[in-house]
Amino acid sequence: MTTDLDETSLATISLLEARLLRIEHHLYGHTTPQNKNTAVRSLRELEHRFRKITHDVHVYNELLKIYKSHPDLFHSSNPFEAPSLLSTDAIRAIVLASAASYPATASSLTAIDDTPIPDPALSAGLAALIPRMRAVEATQLAQSAEIARLRAQSEVVIRQWYERDVMGYSGFVARVEDRIELVERDIRRVERAQEEV
């Protein structure tokens, strides 16, 4: 009995995953199923992916809200007929409650229809420029490498100039000033000696 229950649970989870994969394929393109270890982990990952879809796609989130508030709307044996669990008055009340959003939706759809399609010649012209843009990009990369090399060389030259010339000149000036001070001291000593005589 337990194995039958486990098999049923795994079959249910795999069916849920197949449905979710179909939805993800419609939304995001090709998706590959991931390896699962346990039924609990599989279910947890499916729930996480489903929450991500309802978070990313506003329409699904709104449908879930409608389903939670009016679950009877979604129970119908024939999808082309109104749900049998609701009366016509109840369906009319639900539709009229959402009537205010119909003009805005229609206006949005009309705006999409009125958007002009760009001239295909412009797209073809842009596509024809791709090789030139790649060549310009390669030139820019080469120039960036050359600039980096020149910067490094300039840094070496400036450091050498600073260490050899500027610091060397500063050392020379400091030595000359020391000698001048010694000479001035000697001159003052001689002058004092002459004054004392």
Side-chain angles (χ1 to χ4, degrees):
M1 183 69 177
T2 308
T3 55
D4 290 343
L5 185 62
D6 289 344
E7 287 176 5
T8 306
S9 299
L10 288 172
T12 304
I13 289 173
S14 66
L15 287 173
L16 284 171
E17 183 179 24
R19 287 181 180 175
L20 189 58
L21 282 172
R22 254 184 280 148
I23 292 171
E24 286 178 338
H25 180 73
H26 286 299
L27 290 176
Y28 306 119
H30 180 67
T31 56
T32 55
Q34 301 163 353
N35 294 327
K36 310 289 189 296
N37 293 337
T38 63
V40 174
R41 183 183 228 177
S42 300
L43 194 57
R44 197 173 297 134
E45 289 181 8
L46 286 173
E47 287 175 352
H48 172 72
R49 286 161 58 193
F50 183 69
R51 273 197 303 273
K52 183 179 182 307
I53 288 175
T54 55
H55 180 266
D56 292 346
V57 183
H58 181 68
V59 174
Y60 287 147
N61 195 14
E62 293 297 319
L63 280 173
L64 281 175
K65 285 181 187 173
I66 293 170
Y67 178 76
K68 286 176 185 172
S69 58
H70 305 289
D72 294 338
L73 275 176
F74 295 87
H75 296 289
S76 176
S77 56
N78 185 354
F80 298 104
E81 294 178 3
S84 58
L85 299 176
L86 290 176
S87 67
T88 308
D89 291 335
I91 295 172
R92 186 181 300 123
I94 292 169
V95 170
L96 289 176
S98 302
S101 64
Y102 295 151
T105 305
S107 172
S108 298
L109 292 172
T110 306
I112 289 171
D113 245 357
D114 292 342
T115 305
I117 297 173
D119 185 13
L122 294 175
S123 300
L126 284 175
L129 290 176
I130 289 175
R132 285 181 60 193
M133 291 191 301
R134 287 194 180 131
V136 168
E137 184 182 10
T139 305
Q140 286 179 336
L141 289 173
Q143 287 175 345
S144 298
E146 181 69 14
I147 288 170
R149 188 182 64 76
L150 290 174
R151 255 193 211 129
Q153 283 182 351
S154 300
E155 183 182 353
V156 169
V157 169
I158 289 172
R159 185 181 294 128
Q160 286 176 351
W161 171 76
Y162 182 75
E163 290 173 353
R164 189 180 60 226
D165 295 343
V166 175
M167 296 302 290
Y169 182 72
S170 297
F172 170 74
V173 169
R175 287 192 299 275
V176 168
E177 286 179 350
D178 288 343
R179 288 176 64 191
I180 289 173
E181 284 180 14
L182 287 173
V183 170
E184 285 178 348
R185 251 187 269 150
D186 288 342
I187 290 173
R188 280 195 296 272
R189 197 179 317 123
V190 169
E191 287 175 350
R192 274 197 303 267
Q194 286 178 352
E195 287 175 2
E196 289 176 359
V197 173

